Amino acid sequence: MDELSVGSKRILEREDFPRLLAALTAAGYRVVGPTVRDGAIVYGDIRTEEDLPIGWTDRQEAGTYRLERRNDTALFGFNVGPHSWKKYLFPPRERLWTATRVGSSFDVAVEEDTGPPMAFLGLRACELAGLDVTDRVFDGRVRDPGYHARRARTLLIAVQCGQAGGTCFCVSMGTGPGVTRGYDLALTEIVGPPHHYFLVGVGSPTGASVLRGVPLSPATERETGAAETLLAKTAASMGRSLNTEGIHDLLLTNMEHPRWEIVARRCLSCTNCTMVCPTCFCHTTEEVPELSGDRVERWRRWDSCFNLEFTQLHTSNVRKSPLSRYRQWLTHKLASWYDQFDTSGCIGCGRCITWCPVGIDLTEEVAAIRSTVAASPAVGGHR
Amino acid sequence: MPRKGRPRLAVWKFASCDGCQLTLLDCEDDLLPVAAAIEIANFREASRAVVEGPYDLSLVEGSITTAEDARRIREVRAQSRTLVTIGACATAGGIQALRNFQDVEEFRRVVYARPEYIATLATSTAIRDHVPVDFELRGCPISKHQLLEVITAFLDERVPEVSTESVCIECKRRGNVCVLVAHGTPCLGPVTQAGCGAICPAFHRGCYGCFGPMDTPNATSLIPRLEELGMDRGGVERVFRTFNAAAPAFRAASDSVKEKPVAP
Ligand code: SF4
Ligand code: SF4
Ligand code: SF4
Ligand code: SF4
């Protein structure tokens, strides 16, 4: 078959889906994607289609997640779970280098990325936008070698959402549910009945080349139309919404708003929201010496602005109160992130709402602040 | 710089089960390097040979429950350059601090045939309540990894890398699915200090709070959530009254449910 051009659309029949997995494996990729584990859909290695959450879905509300059976055999009939792709690009714990004593000096061995290239299977539109955010953090002005090495070799296979979760609000953030750019392949699953198939969009030459040998047929207008209808339905059923108009100034001019006190009484400073957020990037490093004192490893691990120790300076702490920590998180995510990275830090995936043990909902917090502020700041746009 | 000399270590036991001391013996592969780096001068669990004090580093296990122990801990302190308490007993009074909530005099009369043989204090208290402590290592039992870190940090004359953050962050770094959110299982992880590696949630159980309160625990917010998940008030009281029952934040949490009037 001729190489597909970028932008072309094809049909992959449901029964041929294993051929796509086989093509990825044959091309040398380690395929990672959604899989059921411990009562949730998490990300893990996908060896056969049986590893995918076939016929499963998730029901999400603030502080609650439940895995449930669907009444069909959809492969991607759910939204996002507690894991995000950042665990692959920016691992929770990572050794950066090892120093070994040599006489009166020492040698430093920097960790190299030696794993096979990864294929992310099943990225949602919001998650693609999330990668764009973490790229600005780790692969922009400052380049993190580990992130860069892994990211550059990763193949991105997106899936357009056929439904929205109870805590999703990508429409508000302009990040979904449609996939518009930054992918190698984009799938839309049409479950039927009677016809169960995938509409495959080609987003890059690499995406086109992995499709070589995968049986595809031309897409008719009816099939592309079905995908569009589905997407419109998803967009219309968002579980949450967030008014982002003037949000930068709204938050930054209300740093003493009484609402912070109210949310701080509920907040546990437990860090769950930041751990599950696909764009939260805070980390700390730790030296792990051998008892002999002859060898030391430097490890990096996920840290959080909700941790007291995160802002421990030599003699004092700048964010002692949980109030100041919650405020730091929300104003960074939704406001000062624009100043730092020229984008919102929030992509509307809803994870922080679902996985907060006490169900704190950032969309509710912002709405509460907005409702007491007479007129929203003049002009349009997020500022 | 290579380290100078071989500091002398002593391990002391007060009211406790020995589990934390055994963590040191359980260091297996690391025990030889430990013995090479420090002189184990007094460690009854490992050897009967005792080298007289003073000691550079004392590890203290157990709580203070008798007048004699209250005296002995001052002696230990006087002989120790650095004193580190290990485990929930030494840092919070342990499970035996449940007596702090009850009438010990009554126990003595009811339980023992010859109450006059029983010399005990009315409370079980942390070592810190009796003498100054240089570092407290939490856990029931303590973590082997953290114990080695404390010893290594001592040798390198730096502050140990032992975090006071919540169990939740370890749970998430480990990739566990949250049992509270996804299964509706009550869990103390959000108010408990990290260190165990979030073992219980990894096995689908809620955290029991073995490492005591994290640095800024908010039990007032967590308790109504535990109740929503089906724990009754007695359950909440009991879950906060285990190995760290007398740690001030956990004590306040269990007292708070006790004080609430019972609904009609
Ligand atoms: S802040 Fe919440 S909704 Fe926004 S990207 Fe992070 S986890 Fe998702
Ligand atoms: S936020 Fe949008 S793109 Fe993300 S999972 Fe929900 S519906 Fe899909
Ligand atoms: S907002 Fe929720 S998840 Fe985040 S730190 Fe507070 S209690 Fe934990
Ligand atoms: S299972 Fe428990 S410790 Fe783990 S994240 Fe949930 S509440 Fe925290």
Side-chain angles (χ1 to χ4, degrees):
Chain A
M1 190 172 69
D2 289 337
E3 203 81 319
L4 293 161
S5 57
V6 171
S8 56
K9 291 196 162 54
R10 290 291 184 276
I11 297 300
L12 171 69
E13 296 298 334
R14 161 66 185 91
E15 51 274 24
D16 291 328
F17 189 81
R19 303 279 296 270
L20 174 62
L21 287 182
L24 293 169
T25 314
Y29 288 104
R30 169 189 171 201
V31 183
V32 291
T35 192
V36 171
R37 202 196 77 203
D38 298 338
I41 296 167
V42 299
Y43 294 147
D45 283 274
I46 305 298
R47 292 188 184 83
T48 77
E49 67 168 33
E50 290 304 311
D51 292 329
L52 292 168
I54 301 176
W56 288 103
T57 192
D58 48 19
R59 184 167 48 80
Q60 307 195 33
E61 257 317 311
T64 305
Y65 177 103
R66 289 293 179 275
L67 187 66
E68 285 175 358
R69 275 283 175 201
R70 289 175 64 92
N71 52 18
D72 60 25
T73 54
L75 272 62
F76 297 98
F78 46 87
N79 292 98
V80 292
H83 289 185
S84 75
W85 306 97
K86 82 175 175 187
K87 75 169 189 170
Y88 293 113
L89 298 174
F90 162 47
R93 278 178 57 76
E94 182 183 16
R95 186 169 57 206
L96 301 178
W97 48 255
T98 305
T100 316
R101 188 196 303 280
V102 183
S104 59
S105 178
F106 57 88
D107 276 350
V108 176
V110 176
E111 219 57 36
E112 301 279 350
D113 178 48
T114 51
M118 289 179 283
F120 290 175
L121 173 63
L123 286 124
R124 305 306 170 124
C126 60
E127 299 185 302
L128 261 183
L131 280 189
D132 182 56
V133 175
T134 48
D135 285 352
R136 290 171 197 232
V137 175
F138 287 112
D139 212 0
R141 262 178 301 140
V142 183
R143 175 171 287 182
D144 179 73
Y147 180 98
H148 175 78
R150 291 182 285 262
R151 173 74 170 89
R153 300 158 67 215
T154 301
L155 186 82
L156 306 178
I157 306 174
V159 166
Q160 306 207 83
C161 287
Q163 64 184 65
T167 56
C168 290
F169 58 103
C170 57
V171 167
S172 301
M173 304 314 291
T175 55
V179 166
T180 52
R181 62 190 181 90
Y183 58 90
D184 293 298
L185 294 174
L187 313 180
T188 312
E189 182 177 23
I190 306 291
V191 189
H195 187 191
H196 191 168
Y197 64 94
F198 295 91
L199 180 71
V200 184
V202 178
S204 75
T206 322
S209 72
V210 296
L211 288 178
R212 222 179 287 147
V214 178
L216 300 168
S217 54
T220 65
E221 231 164 78
R222 218 176 70 103
E223 287 151 342
T224 48
E228 272 159 34
T229 309
L230 184 70
L231 215 52
K233 218 179 89 210
T234 303
S237 59
M238 288 286 126
R240 292 287 193 279
S241 69
L242 176 68
N243 177 357
T244 60
E245 195 195 330
I247 198 162
H248 175 274
D249 292 355
L250 173 76
L251 294 178
L252 295 182
T253 56
N254 281 289
M255 298 294 274
E256 302 302 328
H257 196 282
R259 184 71 191 190
W260 300 118
E261 180 64 46
I262 296 170
V263 67
R265 262 182 252 140
R266 296 176 63 203
C267 178
L268 306 163
S269 303
C270 65
T271 78
N272 275 301
C273 47
T274 52
M275 294 295 107
V276 295
C277 180
T279 70
C280 276
F281 58 85
C282 286
H283 51 265
T284 188
T285 54
E286 175 188 2
E287 255 62 77
V288 185
E290 256 180 19
L291 205 84
S292 67
D294 292 331
R295 193 168 169 275
V296 61
E297 298 179 347
R298 168 167 281 196
W299 285 78
R300 173 165 78 181
R301 62 170 194 263
W302 289 355
D303 203 347
S304 169
C305 54
F306 282 93
N307 272 346
L308 181 66
E309 295 164 306
F310 189 66
T311 45
Q312 182 65 43
L313 302 180
H314 177 50
T315 52
S316 63
N317 195 302
V318 276
R319 282 186 221 117
K320 273 209 187 77
S321 69
L323 183 154
S324 61
R325 291 181 236 159
Y326 186 86
R327 184 177 59 193
Q328 157 63 26
W329 179 67
L330 198 71
T331 55
H332 186 211
K333 194 105 288 196
L334 297 175
S336 49
W337 210 291
Y338 285 109
D339 304 320
Q340 202 180 357
F341 301 111
D342 204 24
T343 175
S344 174
C346 175
I347 46 97
C349 71
R351 284 180 176 89
C352 56
I353 307 171
T354 299
W355 298 98
C356 172
V358 290
I360 292 173
D361 176 346
L362 79 171
T363 66
E364 198 181 308
E365 297 312 311
V366 173
I369 291 177
R370 191 183 289 280
S371 71
T372 59
V373 176
S376 47
V379 284
H382 51 75
R383 277 168 209 259
Chain B
M1 267 217 320
R3 301 194 185 99
K4 299 187 227 72
R6 227 168 126 237
R8 309 169 76 218
L9 171 84
V11 183
W12 308 94
K13 176 185 158 64
F14 289 82
S16 61
C17 76
D18 285 25
C20 290
Q21 296 189 52
L22 289 175
T23 303
L24 187 57
L25 289 180
D26 191 33
C27 287
E28 292 144 6
D29 293 352
D30 296 297
L31 202 57
L32 287 177
V34 170
I38 51 184
E39 180 191 352
I40 303 182
N42 185 356
F43 184 14
R44 295 291 171 89
E45 283 281 356
S47 151
R48 250 174 299 163
V50 173
V51 182
E52 290 292 300
Y55 306 98
D56 296 299
L57 173 63
S58 275
L59 300 178
V60 178
E61 177 197 89
S63 68
I64 303 300
T65 55
T66 65
E68 162 58 16
D69 278 355
R71 186 196 57 73
R72 193 160 59 96
I73 187 61
R74 285 195 289 277
E75 259 177 45
V76 169
R77 176 70 264 191
Q79 289 187 69
S80 313
R81 189 159 64 83
T82 299
L83 188 151
V84 173
T85 53
I86 58 170
C89 301
T91 59
I95 189 83
Q96 57 275 27
L98 286 177
R99 69 165 71 176
N100 304 8
F101 300 85
Q102 305 293 339
D103 181 358
V104 169
E105 208 32 61
E106 189 189 326
F107 285 164
R108 194 192 335 235
R109 279 197 317 271
V110 175
V111 176
Y112 298 96
R114 306 289 300 268
E116 64 274 22
Y117 287 177
I118 306 297
T120 186
L121 298 171
T123 55
S124 168
T125 43
I127 301 299
R128 173 194 57 226
D129 297 339
H130 300 264
V131 294
V133 169
D134 298 299
F135 190 80
E136 294 191 300
L137 189 62
R138 301 274 198 86
C140 184
I142 54 170
S143 122
K144 178 169 116 178
H145 168 81
Q146 288 194 334
L147 178 62
L148 284 171
E149 165 59 15
V150 165
I151 295 174
T152 313
F154 168 78
L155 290 168
D156 291 337
E157 298 177 52
R158 60 175 172 81
V159 179
E161 234 339 294
V162 172
S163 189
T164 55
E165 62 201 3
S166 71
V167 172
C168 294
I169 193 167
E170 285 193 302
C171 197
K172 283 287 187 287
R173 284 194 202 111
R174 185 171 174 158
N176 286 348
V177 170
C178 176
V179 301
L180 190 153
V181 170
H183 308 167
T185 303
C187 180
L188 289 194
V191 295
T192 301
Q193 180 170 307
C196 62
I199 302 172
C200 293
F203 291 95
H204 308 166
R205 305 298 297 261
C207 163
Y208 294 96
C210 309
F211 277 61
M214 50 91 90
D215 52 32
T216 30
N218 185 353
T220 315
S221 169
L222 185 64
I223 289 170
R225 184 69 176 128
L226 298 177
E227 290 174 336
E228 253 174 56
L229 296 173
M231 244 193 192
D232 59 16
R233 208 167 287 160
V236 173
E237 188 193 335
R238 283 191 298 277
V239 82
F240 280 106
R241 286 199 182 163
T242 64
F243 324 104
N244 291 282
F250 282 6
R251 173 163 199 149
S254 64
D255 284 348
S256 77
V257 280
K258 251 206 123 65
E259 279 157 19
K260 269 198 226 163
V262 179

